[in-house]
Amino acid sequence: MTVHVELSERLSPAQLRAIADRLVYSVEGISAVEVLAPPGERPVLALSHDGDLGGQDVGPIVAELVREAMTARMSEPRVVRRRQPDSRLAEPLPVDGATAALPVLHRAFDAMFRDLAHAAGAGERRCPALIDLRVMERCRYLRLFPQNAYLVDELPHHQPLLSRLRDGSATLDELRRPSGYMLNPALCFHFYDELAGTRSDGLTVVTAEGDCFRHEATGRLDRFRLPSFTMREIVFFGAPDEVERLRGELMEQVWQLYRALGLYGRIETATDPFYYVEDSAMRQHQLLAQVKYELVASRPGGGESAIASFNNVRDSLCRQFDIRRTDEGVMHSGCVAFGVDRWVELTLETFGPEPRQWPEPILRHTGASSAEGKD
């Protein structure tokens, strides 16, 4: 069903986007939010819902989001790199037969990103899928981004209770209990835990590839936005100028790689998906302080998707984990994160599943020469 909610205020495009983004995580079952803003009229939200949603049920939530949007300074992202096509991109290519191409492209892109990390002096790490909740509490992740968390349950190691599960006298919901873990929303948190309480000089750079998990709104799930996905991260710790310098270098290297692949899009300032109204100031600070940049891909057919981020979180997480320089000076940290699956899907949409159609940088990292790939 679709419910229309008229907004009582005139709002900017940035404010309307912020309301729509928050709303899909604030009402269970919303599959899509469309902003209808006829010229000269007040905007209307068209909410597609999987069940029986009455306008009166969602009205107070929308009103709260509008109040937040009206009181917060909503700045438009600042674009720092852009590559636009001369005309509208063609429709996505069919990906029939892409099953065999998926692992090949996955390995190729991860190899590209790993090469960037090694050139920056990164040490290799391997991260498990689970992370201790105590680490995440120290990061304040659940306080800031509860909408994306996947918590892990467990069954008690108690034979009488497990026997009841087997014979059907107890249900799974009756016996499950919270564990002390959650699924990784990102890999970098493991490194803060690894370095907690340490003192060091110079620049420390580490990299890892692993599985990450985020509880996305159902209506947003597609081939680009998955609840389980692969991430490659390059994480770095050092003096403030060292961290900003390395972030800038990696951002430029990734942009040049992106251009060499013949892809279109932009790099712009961005924010993390803070959930609560009282955190809107943090969102605005990230935009103004250029804490986060995203590489936003222009997809065939007109869609867009962020496929990489470049972050300088200053001393916020190092302070939480008591990570300092040897002279007790302030330690800053940053990371560059790649959504490997999204790079793969963008390649399939743009060039198709046949290796002979792939750009040269991909072929080099598959072990095939240009001539072999184009035959």
Side-chain angles (χ1 to χ4, degrees):
M1 67 173 297
T2 301
V3 173
H4 292 83
V5 180
E6 183 177 355
L7 303 180
S8 59
E9 304 287 348
R10 298 191 185 279
L11 302 161
S12 70
Q15 290 170 325
L16 290 171
R17 284 197 303 272
I19 292 169
D21 287 345
R22 280 279 307 281
L23 192 54
V24 295
Y25 295 105
S26 300
V27 179
E28 193 79 15
I30 287 183
S31 55
V33 177
E34 183 180 4
V35 178
L36 308 177
E41 298 182 23
R42 297 191 186 280
V44 174
L45 298 180
L47 314 179
S48 299
H49 194 268
D50 298 334
D52 182 17
L53 176 67
Q56 70 279 5
D57 298 322
V58 74
I61 297 174
V62 172
E64 179 183 353
L65 297 179
V66 169
R67 283 194 299 272
E68 173 195 355
M70 294 295 292
T71 56
R73 291 177 56 198
M74 294 285 181
S75 299
E76 294 289 341
R78 187 170 73 90
V79 176
V80 297
R81 302 284 190 281
R82 187 191 297 274
R83 184 170 187 259
Q84 290 181 280
D86 295 331
S87 58
R88 186 179 184 273
L89 291 172
E91 291 300 313
L93 292 175
V95 293
D96 298 337
T99 303
L102 289 171
V104 177
L105 286 170
H106 193 287
R107 288 192 297 269
F109 277 113
D110 187 59
M112 290 185 211
F113 306 146
R114 189 178 63 242
D115 287 349
L116 290 175
H118 288 170
E124 194 85 30
R125 298 289 192 277
R126 179 66 189 168
C127 297
L130 297 179
I131 189 164
D132 197 308
L133 276 175
R134 290 174 295 181
V135 175
M136 302 310 292
E137 289 167 359
R138 203 166 180 179
C139 298
R140 302 193 302 155
Y141 187 88
L142 294 175
R143 297 183 190 180
L144 298 174
F145 317 111
Q147 76 278 17
N148 288 145
Y150 272 124
L151 304 179
V152 177
D153 279 356
E154 64 185 18
L155 295 175
H157 292 161
H158 188 59
Q159 191 272 340
L161 291 178
L162 295 178
S163 294
R164 291 185 59 204
L165 183 66
R166 181 179 177 86
D167 65 25
S169 61
T171 67
L172 184 62
D173 285 338
E174 289 175 317
L175 298 186
R176 66 201 303 176
R177 68 186 184 191
S179 73
Y181 298 93
M182 67 177 286
L183 296 174
N184 283 330
L187 304 177
C188 57
F189 301 118
H190 289 280
F191 304 138
Y192 289 97
D193 186 43
E194 175 188 333
L195 296 176
T198 61
R199 305 289 184 267
S200 64
D201 290 319
L203 193 64
T204 299
V205 188
V206 291
T207 186
E209 178 257 19
D211 295 324
C212 294
F213 309 83
R214 292 183 190 169
H215 182 205
E216 293 288 356
T218 304
R220 292 192 163 189
L221 293 176
D222 58 19
R223 296 173 69 90
F224 269 73
R225 189 181 289 270
L226 301 168
S228 172
F229 55 94
T230 302
M231 187 181 288
R232 164 67 66 175
E233 287 196 49
I234 307 170
V235 188
F236 33 97
F237 302 80
D241 59 336
E242 294 176 314
V243 167
E244 182 58 24
R245 174 189 58 79
L246 183 54
R247 179 179 70 156
E249 290 176 356
L250 288 170
M251 188 161 68
E252 184 60 29
Q253 290 166 12
V254 173
W255 180 244
Q256 293 306 321
L257 170 63
Y258 193 73
R259 288 174 56 89
L261 291 169
L263 299 170
Y264 299 96
R266 64 187 182 275
I267 296 179
E268 65 183 17
T269 54
T271 70
D272 289 316
F274 296 105
Y275 185 76
Y276 294 107
V277 172
E278 54 265 33
D279 294 329
S280 59
M282 297 174 66
R283 184 185 301 113
Q284 192 63 20
H285 167 74
Q286 285 194 332
L287 276 178
L288 296 176
Q290 301 168 34
V291 169
K292 184 183 188 74
Y293 290 94
E294 285 183 339
L295 171 53
V296 181
S298 297
R299 296 167 53 187
E304 293 187 335
S305 183
I307 62 173
S309 66
F310 312 88
N311 309 278
N312 181 351
V313 297
R314 312 296 199 264
D315 68 335
S316 59
L317 285 172
C318 286
R319 190 172 62 248
Q320 292 290 332
F321 285 84
D322 188 29
I323 303 170
R324 294 182 176 274
R325 294 158 58 191
T326 303
D327 62 4
E328 293 299 312
V330 173
M331 183 78 82
H332 280 201
S333 66
C335 75
V336 175
F338 304 92
V340 179
D341 306 88
R342 294 186 179 186
W343 287 75
V344 170
E345 292 297 331
L346 180 62
T347 299
L348 292 173
E349 283 189 353
T350 306
F351 304 108
E354 292 297 326
R356 65 178 180 272
Q357 303 296 335
W358 297 344
E360 174 64 25
I362 296 177
L363 293 176
R364 284 201 307 270
H365 286 83
T366 64
S369 68
S370 177
E372 291 171 332
K374 303 296 181 183
D375 286 342

